[in-house]
Amino acid sequence: MEEIPDYTLEIQIATRFLDEESEPESDRYVFAYTIRIRNLGRCPAQLLRRHWIITDGNGKVDEVRGEGVVGQQPRLEPGEQFEYTSGAVLETAVGSMQGSYDMVGDDGTRFDAPIPPFTLSMPHTLH
């Protein structure tokens, strides 16, 4: 029988371009992303901090670090999930994001949950 690790998170990401908030003529492209975090491990864990690396189509990189997500530091029991929506503003029609969540288990174990890279793209800009 396969051993379930104490700390495993599944991270799913959906993105969308916010046409009504974007101003391409002013190099302002606004995107929303919805992230679902599911605790697949055996132990409860809490999200303490986030770290984002945001890269636009010109190769400009912004790093963002902060407490929690959308003003919360969700604690997830095994099998529980937390979903939130946030946003990013780029100077180009295409960019990418990746990062990690700084997590702590109920037993005090600290671990990073990597957020896989995902693309932000205005419709009809990527082929």
mmCIF file of all heavy atoms in Angstrom, residues 60-104:
data_model
loop_
_atom_site.group_PDB
_atom_site.id
_atom_site.type_symbol
_atom_site.label_atom_id
_atom_site.label_comp_id
_atom_site.label_asym_id
_atom_site.label_seq_id
_atom_site.Cartn_x
_atom_site.Cartn_y
_atom_site.Cartn_z
ATOM 1 N N LYS A 60 10.461 41.529 -18.190
ATOM 2 C CA LYS A 60 10.507 42.261 -16.923
ATOM 3 C C LYS A 60 9.942 41.373 -15.818
ATOM 4 O O LYS A 60 8.856 40.802 -15.955
ATOM 5 C CB LYS A 60 9.688 43.546 -17.040
ATOM 6 C CG LYS A 60 9.677 44.380 -15.764
ATOM 7 C CD LYS A 60 8.876 45.661 -15.965
ATOM 8 C CE LYS A 60 8.257 46.070 -14.640
ATOM 9 N NZ LYS A 60 6.978 46.727 -14.779
ATOM 10 N N VAL A 61 10.689 41.263 -14.715
ATOM 11 C CA VAL A 61 10.293 40.373 -13.616
ATOM 12 C C VAL A 61 9.922 41.197 -12.388
ATOM 13 O O VAL A 61 10.654 42.103 -11.989
ATOM 14 C CB VAL A 61 11.450 39.399 -13.268
ATOM 15 C CG1 VAL A 61 11.082 38.540 -12.065
ATOM 16 C CG2 VAL A 61 11.792 38.532 -14.471
ATOM 17 N N ASP A 62 8.786 40.878 -11.814
ATOM 18 C CA ASP A 62 8.368 41.449 -10.526
ATOM 19 C C ASP A 62 8.260 40.303 -9.535
ATOM 20 O O ASP A 62 7.691 39.251 -9.861
ATOM 21 C CB ASP A 62 6.980 42.109 -10.636
ATOM 22 C CG ASP A 62 7.048 43.511 -11.184
ATOM 23 O OD1 ASP A 62 8.005 44.231 -10.840
ATOM 24 O OD2 ASP A 62 6.142 43.889 -11.946
ATOM 25 N N GLU A 63 8.791 40.512 -8.345
ATOM 26 C CA GLU A 63 8.610 39.533 -7.279
ATOM 27 C C GLU A 63 7.681 40.129 -6.240
ATOM 28 O O GLU A 63 7.815 41.285 -5.871
ATOM 29 C CB GLU A 63 9.951 39.165 -6.640
ATOM 30 C CG GLU A 63 10.765 38.241 -7.509
ATOM 31 C CD GLU A 63 11.822 37.491 -6.710
ATOM 32 O OE1 GLU A 63 11.469 36.809 -5.727
ATOM 33 O OE2 GLU A 63 12.991 37.605 -7.085
ATOM 34 N N VAL A 64 6.730 39.333 -5.796
ATOM 35 C CA VAL A 64 5.761 39.776 -4.805
ATOM 36 C C VAL A 64 5.790 38.781 -3.652
ATOM 37 O O VAL A 64 5.665 37.572 -3.861
ATOM 38 C CB VAL A 64 4.337 39.832 -5.412
ATOM 39 C CG1 VAL A 64 3.320 40.228 -4.353
ATOM 40 C CG2 VAL A 64 4.295 40.784 -6.588
ATOM 41 N N ARG A 65 5.975 39.308 -2.451
ATOM 42 C CA ARG A 65 5.920 38.474 -1.247
ATOM 43 C C ARG A 65 4.920 39.105 -0.303
ATOM 44 O O ARG A 65 4.809 40.323 -0.238
ATOM 45 C CB ARG A 65 7.287 38.431 -0.557
ATOM 46 C CG ARG A 65 8.358 37.752 -1.359
ATOM 47 C CD ARG A 65 9.717 37.853 -0.653
ATOM 48 N NE ARG A 65 10.785 37.406 -1.513
ATOM 49 C CZ ARG A 65 11.200 36.150 -1.600
ATOM 50 N NH1 ARG A 65 10.632 35.222 -0.860
ATOM 51 N NH2 ARG A 65 12.180 35.824 -2.416
ATOM 52 N N GLY A 66 4.195 38.285 0.427
ATOM 53 C CA GLY A 66 3.242 38.849 1.374
ATOM 54 C C GLY A 66 2.620 37.796 2.253
ATOM 55 O O GLY A 66 2.772 36.597 2.029
ATOM 56 N N GLU A 67 1.915 38.296 3.254
ATOM 57 C CA GLU A 67 1.199 37.424 4.182
ATOM 58 C C GLU A 67 -0.018 36.831 3.493
ATOM 59 O O GLU A 67 -0.773 37.560 2.843
ATOM 60 C CB GLU A 67 0.727 38.234 5.396
ATOM 61 C CG GLU A 67 1.840 38.856 6.220
ATOM 62 C CD GLU A 67 2.591 37.823 7.041
ATOM 63 O OE1 GLU A 67 1.935 36.953 7.648
ATOM 64 O OE2 GLU A 67 3.829 37.882 7.062
ATOM 65 N N GLY A 68 -0.211 35.540 3.637
ATOM 66 C CA GLY A 68 -1.443 34.896 3.195
ATOM 67 C C GLY A 68 -1.810 35.148 1.748
ATOM 68 O O GLY A 68 -0.988 35.540 0.930
ATOM 69 N N VAL A 69 -3.081 34.914 1.449
ATOM 70 C CA VAL A 69 -3.655 35.170 0.128
ATOM 71 C C VAL A 69 -5.007 35.840 0.339
ATOM 72 O O VAL A 69 -5.764 35.437 1.221
ATOM 73 C CB VAL A 69 -3.812 33.872 -0.702
ATOM 74 C CG1 VAL A 69 -2.452 33.331 -1.130
ATOM 75 C CG2 VAL A 69 -4.601 32.806 0.040
ATOM 76 N N VAL A 70 -5.298 36.852 -0.436
ATOM 77 C CA VAL A 70 -6.541 37.629 -0.349
ATOM 78 C C VAL A 70 -6.929 37.908 1.103
ATOM 79 O O VAL A 70 -8.083 37.758 1.493
ATOM 80 C CB VAL A 70 -7.706 36.985 -1.156
ATOM 81 C CG1 VAL A 70 -7.403 37.000 -2.645
ATOM 82 C CG2 VAL A 70 -8.034 35.576 -0.688
ATOM 83 N N GLY A 71 -5.934 38.288 1.905
ATOM 84 C CA GLY A 71 -6.191 38.664 3.287
ATOM 85 C C GLY A 71 -6.453 37.496 4.233
ATOM 86 O O GLY A 71 -6.862 37.705 5.375
ATOM 87 N N GLN A 72 -6.225 36.287 3.777
ATOM 88 C CA GLN A 72 -6.490 35.116 4.608
ATOM 89 C C GLN A 72 -5.252 34.233 4.697
ATOM 90 O O GLN A 72 -4.397 34.261 3.825
ATOM 91 C CB GLN A 72 -7.640 34.289 4.027
ATOM 92 C CG GLN A 72 -8.964 35.038 3.977
ATOM 93 C CD GLN A 72 -10.067 34.154 3.455
ATOM 94 O OE1 GLN A 72 -10.374 33.121 4.032
ATOM 95 N NE2 GLN A 72 -10.662 34.556 2.353
ATOM 96 N N GLN A 73 -5.200 33.451 5.757
ATOM 97 C CA GLN A 73 -4.165 32.427 5.933
ATOM 98 C C GLN A 73 -4.893 31.108 6.188
ATOM 99 O O GLN A 73 -4.991 30.651 7.321
ATOM 100 C CB GLN A 73 -3.226 32.782 7.088
ATOM 101 C CG GLN A 73 -2.374 34.011 6.795
ATOM 102 C CD GLN A 73 -1.443 34.355 7.947
ATOM 103 O OE1 GLN A 73 -1.852 34.389 9.099
ATOM 104 N NE2 GLN A 73 -0.186 34.612 7.626
ATOM 105 N N PRO A 74 -5.431 30.515 5.109
ATOM 106 C CA PRO A 74 -6.302 29.351 5.293
ATOM 107 C C PRO A 74 -5.561 28.143 5.883
ATOM 108 O O PRO A 74 -4.411 27.879 5.540
ATOM 109 C CB PRO A 74 -6.800 29.047 3.880
ATOM 110 C CG PRO A 74 -5.764 29.635 2.980
ATOM 111 C CD PRO A 74 -5.257 30.856 3.700
ATOM 112 N N ARG A 75 -6.249 27.452 6.784
ATOM 113 C CA ARG A 75 -5.748 26.189 7.347
ATOM 114 C C ARG A 75 -6.592 25.085 6.750
ATOM 115 O O ARG A 75 -7.826 25.128 6.805
ATOM 116 C CB ARG A 75 -5.878 26.197 8.866
ATOM 117 C CG ARG A 75 -5.389 24.921 9.526
ATOM 118 C CD ARG A 75 -5.577 25.010 11.059
ATOM 119 N NE ARG A 75 -5.243 23.741 11.682
ATOM 120 C CZ ARG A 75 -6.090 22.715 11.790
ATOM 121 N NH1 ARG A 75 -7.317 22.805 11.299
ATOM 122 N NH2 ARG A 75 -5.701 21.599 12.374
ATOM 123 N N LEU A 76 -5.915 24.097 6.163
ATOM 124 C CA LEU A 76 -6.611 23.031 5.451
ATOM 125 C C LEU A 76 -6.419 21.691 6.151
ATOM 126 O O LEU A 76 -5.290 21.223 6.306
ATOM 127 C CB LEU A 76 -6.088 22.921 4.014
ATOM 128 C CG LEU A 76 -6.246 24.173 3.151
ATOM 129 C CD1 LEU A 76 -5.537 23.989 1.827
ATOM 130 C CD2 LEU A 76 -7.715 24.474 2.928
ATOM 131 N N GLU A 77 -7.521 21.094 6.547
ATOM 132 C CA GLU A 77 -7.496 19.721 7.040
ATOM 133 C C GLU A 77 -7.237 18.797 5.844
ATOM 134 O O GLU A 77 -7.470 19.183 4.694
ATOM 135 C CB GLU A 77 -8.862 19.366 7.657
ATOM 136 C CG GLU A 77 -9.175 20.101 8.931
ATOM 137 C CD GLU A 77 -8.426 19.545 10.130
ATOM 138 O OE1 GLU A 77 -7.915 18.411 10.054
ATOM 139 O OE2 GLU A 77 -8.351 20.265 11.142
ATOM 140 N N PRO A 78 -6.766 17.568 6.083
ATOM 141 C CA PRO A 78 -6.613 16.619 4.977
ATOM 142 C C PRO A 78 -7.925 16.503 4.191
ATOM 143 O O PRO A 78 -8.995 16.377 4.776
ATOM 144 C CB PRO A 78 -6.262 15.305 5.676
ATOM 145 C CG PRO A 78 -5.571 15.744 6.942
ATOM 146 C CD PRO A 78 -6.295 17.003 7.361
ATOM 147 N N GLY A 79 -7.813 16.611 2.873
ATOM 148 C CA GLY A 79 -8.984 16.524 2.001
ATOM 149 C C GLY A 79 -9.690 17.843 1.769
ATOM 150 O O GLY A 79 -10.491 17.959 0.842
ATOM 151 N N GLU A 80 -9.411 18.851 2.591
ATOM 152 C CA GLU A 80 -10.063 20.152 2.411
ATOM 153 C C GLU A 80 -9.409 20.927 1.276
ATOM 154 O O GLU A 80 -8.253 20.697 0.919
ATOM 155 C CB GLU A 80 -9.966 20.999 3.687
ATOM 156 C CG GLU A 80 -11.047 20.711 4.695
ATOM 157 C CD GLU A 80 -11.045 21.724 5.840
ATOM 158 O OE1 GLU A 80 -9.998 22.332 6.140
ATOM 159 O OE2 GLU A 80 -12.099 21.887 6.438
ATOM 160 N N GLN A 81 -10.168 21.889 0.748
ATOM 161 C CA GLN A 81 -9.617 22.766 -0.277
ATOM 162 C C GLN A 81 -10.009 24.207 0.007
ATOM 163 O O GLN A 81 -10.961 24.479 0.723
ATOM 164 C CB GLN A 81 -10.056 22.336 -1.670
ATOM 165 C CG GLN A 81 -11.542 22.458 -1.925
ATOM 166 C CD GLN A 81 -11.917 21.950 -3.309
ATOM 167 O OE1 GLN A 81 -11.235 21.121 -3.894
ATOM 168 N NE2 GLN A 81 -13.004 22.458 -3.838
ATOM 169 N N PHE A 82 -9.228 25.107 -0.586
ATOM 170 C CA PHE A 82 -9.470 26.546 -0.460
ATOM 171 C C PHE A 82 -9.297 27.134 -1.848
ATOM 172 O O PHE A 82 -8.349 26.799 -2.555
ATOM 173 C CB PHE A 82 -8.453 27.170 0.505
ATOM 174 C CG PHE A 82 -8.600 28.663 0.646
ATOM 175 C CD1 PHE A 82 -9.577 29.202 1.464
ATOM 176 C CD2 PHE A 82 -7.752 29.530 -0.035
ATOM 177 C CE1 PHE A 82 -9.719 30.585 1.590
ATOM 178 C CE2 PHE A 82 -7.889 30.907 0.088
ATOM 179 C CZ PHE A 82 -8.877 31.433 0.910
ATOM 180 N N GLU A 83 -10.240 27.982 -2.239
ATOM 181 C CA GLU A 83 -10.175 28.586 -3.570
ATOM 182 C C GLU A 83 -10.263 30.095 -3.426
ATOM 183 O O GLU A 83 -11.030 30.606 -2.613
ATOM 184 C CB GLU A 83 -11.330 28.064 -4.430
ATOM 185 C CG GLU A 83 -11.290 28.559 -5.862
ATOM 186 C CD GLU A 83 -12.365 27.910 -6.719
ATOM 187 O OE1 GLU A 83 -12.292 26.689 -6.943
ATOM 188 O OE2 GLU A 83 -13.286 28.627 -7.125
ATOM 189 N N TYR A 84 -9.447 30.796 -4.211
ATOM 190 C CA TYR A 84 -9.502 32.251 -4.186
ATOM 191 C C TYR A 84 -9.177 32.792 -5.574
ATOM 192 O O TYR A 84 -8.590 32.104 -6.404
ATOM 193 C CB TYR A 84 -8.546 32.831 -3.143
ATOM 194 C CG TYR A 84 -7.081 32.737 -3.498
ATOM 195 C CD1 TYR A 84 -6.413 33.808 -4.100
ATOM 196 C CD2 TYR A 84 -6.345 31.589 -3.225
ATOM 197 C CE1 TYR A 84 -5.069 33.725 -4.414
ATOM 198 C CE2 TYR A 84 -5.000 31.500 -3.533
ATOM 199 C CZ TYR A 84 -4.368 32.570 -4.133
ATOM 200 O OH TYR A 84 -3.036 32.485 -4.453
ATOM 201 N N THR A 85 -9.591 34.035 -5.796
ATOM 202 C CA THR A 85 -9.306 34.716 -7.056
ATOM 203 C C THR A 85 -8.562 36.001 -6.751
ATOM 204 O O THR A 85 -8.914 36.737 -5.824
ATOM 205 C CB THR A 85 -10.610 35.023 -7.817
ATOM 206 O OG1 THR A 85 -11.269 33.788 -8.103
ATOM 207 C CG2 THR A 85 -10.325 35.753 -9.119
ATOM 208 N N SER A 86 -7.526 36.252 -7.509
ATOM 209 C CA SER A 86 -6.746 37.480 -7.379
ATOM 210 C C SER A 86 -6.414 37.965 -8.787
ATOM 211 O O SER A 86 -6.966 37.451 -9.763
ATOM 212 C CB SER A 86 -5.481 37.211 -6.556
ATOM 213 O OG SER A 86 -4.860 38.443 -6.212
ATOM 214 N N GLY A 87 -5.519 38.941 -8.890
ATOM 215 C CA GLY A 87 -5.239 39.484 -10.206
ATOM 216 C C GLY A 87 -3.818 39.963 -10.363
ATOM 217 O O GLY A 87 -3.059 40.059 -9.393
ATOM 218 N N ALA A 88 -3.468 40.235 -11.606
ATOM 219 C CA ALA A 88 -2.153 40.766 -11.950
ATOM 220 C C ALA A 88 -2.317 41.738 -13.108
ATOM 221 O O ALA A 88 -3.180 41.555 -13.968
ATOM 222 C CB ALA A 88 -1.198 39.640 -12.346
ATOM 223 N N VAL A 89 -1.493 42.775 -13.111
ATOM 224 C CA VAL A 89 -1.490 43.755 -14.195
ATOM 225 C C VAL A 89 -0.121 43.695 -14.867
ATOM 226 O O VAL A 89 0.912 43.813 -14.208
ATOM 227 C CB VAL A 89 -1.754 45.180 -13.660
ATOM 228 C CG1 VAL A 89 -1.742 46.186 -14.805
ATOM 229 C CG2 VAL A 89 -3.080 45.235 -12.923
ATOM 230 N N LEU A 90 -0.128 43.493 -16.185
ATOM 231 C CA LEU A 90 1.113 43.431 -16.963
ATOM 232 C C LEU A 90 1.156 44.572 -17.963
ATOM 233 O O LEU A 90 0.128 45.152 -18.307
ATOM 234 C CB LEU A 90 1.207 42.101 -17.724
ATOM 235 C CG LEU A 90 1.175 40.813 -16.914
ATOM 236 C CD1 LEU A 90 1.305 39.619 -17.849
ATOM 237 C CD2 LEU A 90 2.279 40.791 -15.876
ATOM 238 N N GLU A 91 2.369 44.857 -18.439
ATOM 239 C CA GLU A 91 2.546 45.863 -19.496
ATOM 240 C C GLU A 91 2.509 45.230 -20.882
ATOM 241 O O GLU A 91 2.631 45.930 -21.883
ATOM 242 C CB GLU A 91 3.886 46.585 -19.301
ATOM 243 C CG GLU A 91 3.937 47.407 -18.024
ATOM 244 C CD GLU A 91 5.314 48.021 -17.788
ATOM 245 O OE1 GLU A 91 6.202 47.905 -18.665
ATOM 246 O OE2 GLU A 91 5.503 48.614 -16.721
ATOM 247 N N THR A 92 2.370 43.906 -20.944
ATOM 248 C CA THR A 92 2.327 43.186 -22.212
ATOM 249 C C THR A 92 1.109 42.267 -22.245
ATOM 250 O O THR A 92 0.544 41.933 -21.209
ATOM 251 C CB THR A 92 3.607 42.338 -22.413
ATOM 252 O OG1 THR A 92 3.715 41.416 -21.324
ATOM 253 C CG2 THR A 92 4.852 43.219 -22.468
ATOM 254 N N ALA A 93 0.743 41.820 -23.447
ATOM 255 C CA ALA A 93 -0.447 40.992 -23.630
ATOM 256 C C ALA A 93 -0.236 39.555 -23.175
ATOM 257 O O ALA A 93 -1.187 38.789 -23.034
ATOM 258 C CB ALA A 93 -0.869 41.004 -25.101
ATOM 259 N N VAL A 94 1.022 39.172 -22.961
ATOM 260 C CA VAL A 94 1.347 37.812 -22.542
ATOM 261 C C VAL A 94 2.375 37.886 -21.423
ATOM 262 O O VAL A 94 3.282 38.720 -21.453
ATOM 263 C CB VAL A 94 1.923 36.983 -23.711
ATOM 264 C CG1 VAL A 94 2.304 35.580 -23.257
ATOM 265 C CG2 VAL A 94 0.932 36.904 -24.853
ATOM 266 N N GLY A 95 2.224 37.013 -20.445
ATOM 267 C CA GLY A 95 3.205 36.920 -19.376
ATOM 268 C C GLY A 95 3.051 35.594 -18.661
ATOM 269 O O GLY A 95 2.268 34.740 -19.083
ATOM 270 N N SER A 96 3.794 35.430 -17.575
ATOM 271 C CA SER A 96 3.680 34.189 -16.817
ATOM 272 C C SER A 96 3.868 34.467 -15.331
ATOM 273 O O SER A 96 4.432 35.495 -14.952
ATOM 274 C CB SER A 96 4.710 33.159 -17.294
ATOM 275 O OG SER A 96 6.012 33.620 -16.990
ATOM 276 N N MET A 97 3.378 33.539 -14.541
ATOM 277 C CA MET A 97 3.525 33.616 -13.087
ATOM 278 C C MET A 97 3.910 32.244 -12.567
ATOM 279 O O MET A 97 3.512 31.231 -13.117
ATOM 280 C CB MET A 97 2.219 34.057 -12.422
ATOM 281 C CG MET A 97 1.847 35.496 -12.678
ATOM 282 S SD MET A 97 0.273 35.972 -11.888
ATOM 283 C CE MET A 97 0.672 35.826 -10.151
ATOM 284 N N GLN A 98 4.681 32.255 -11.492
ATOM 285 C CA GLN A 98 4.979 31.035 -10.748
ATOM 286 C C GLN A 98 5.387 31.462 -9.356
ATOM 287 O O GLN A 98 5.601 32.649 -9.109
ATOM 288 C CB GLN A 98 6.082 30.227 -11.416
ATOM 289 C CG GLN A 98 7.416 30.938 -11.463
ATOM 290 C CD GLN A 98 8.453 30.099 -12.189
ATOM 291 O OE1 GLN A 98 8.347 28.882 -12.266
ATOM 292 N NE2 GLN A 98 9.457 30.751 -12.721
ATOM 293 N N GLY A 99 5.502 30.519 -8.463
ATOM 294 C CA GLY A 99 5.896 30.915 -7.121
ATOM 295 C C GLY A 99 5.779 29.787 -6.138
ATOM 296 O O GLY A 99 5.899 28.613 -6.488
ATOM 297 N N SER A 100 5.486 30.160 -4.880
ATOM 298 C CA SER A 100 5.335 29.155 -3.836
ATOM 299 C C SER A 100 4.551 29.730 -2.665
ATOM 300 O O SER A 100 4.464 30.945 -2.487
ATOM 301 C CB SER A 100 6.708 28.665 -3.354
ATOM 302 O OG SER A 100 7.432 29.741 -2.783
ATOM 303 N N TYR A 101 3.973 28.811 -1.909
ATOM 304 C CA TYR A 101 3.321 29.153 -0.659
ATOM 305 C C TYR A 101 4.187 28.633 0.482
ATOM 306 O O TYR A 101 4.659 27.496 0.443
ATOM 307 C CB TYR A 101 1.937 28.502 -0.561
ATOM 308 C CG TYR A 101 0.951 28.982 -1.594
ATOM 309 C CD1 TYR A 101 0.309 28.087 -2.438
ATOM 310 C CD2 TYR A 101 0.653 30.335 -1.729
ATOM 311 C CE1 TYR A 101 -0.605 28.521 -3.384
ATOM 312 C CE2 TYR A 101 -0.255 30.780 -2.668
ATOM 313 C CZ TYR A 101 -0.886 29.869 -3.496
ATOM 314 O OH TYR A 101 -1.781 30.306 -4.425
ATOM 315 N N ASP A 102 4.396 29.475 1.478
ATOM 316 C CA ASP A 102 5.098 29.088 2.692
ATOM 317 C C ASP A 102 4.042 28.518 3.634
ATOM 318 O O ASP A 102 3.117 29.224 4.035
ATOM 319 C CB ASP A 102 5.795 30.313 3.290
ATOM 320 C CG ASP A 102 6.525 30.015 4.591
ATOM 321 O OD1 ASP A 102 6.771 28.839 4.884
ATOM 322 O OD2 ASP A 102 6.836 30.981 5.319
ATOM 323 N N MET A 103 4.172 27.245 3.964
ATOM 324 C CA MET A 103 3.160 26.519 4.725
ATOM 325 C C MET A 103 3.735 26.077 6.067
ATOM 326 O O MET A 103 4.948 25.910 6.209
ATOM 327 C CB MET A 103 2.714 25.266 3.953
ATOM 328 C CG MET A 103 2.266 25.501 2.519
ATOM 329 S SD MET A 103 0.682 26.355 2.362
ATOM 330 C CE MET A 103 -0.434 25.185 3.151
ATOM 331 N N VAL A 104 2.842 25.844 7.026
ATOM 332 C CA VAL A 104 3.258 25.241 8.297
ATOM 333 C C VAL A 104 2.223 24.189 8.689
ATOM 334 O O VAL A 104 1.012 24.424 8.597
ATOM 335 C CB VAL A 104 3.450 26.288 9.423
ATOM 336 C CG1 VAL A 104 2.142 26.990 9.763
ATOM 337 C CG2 VAL A 104 4.074 25.651 10.650
#
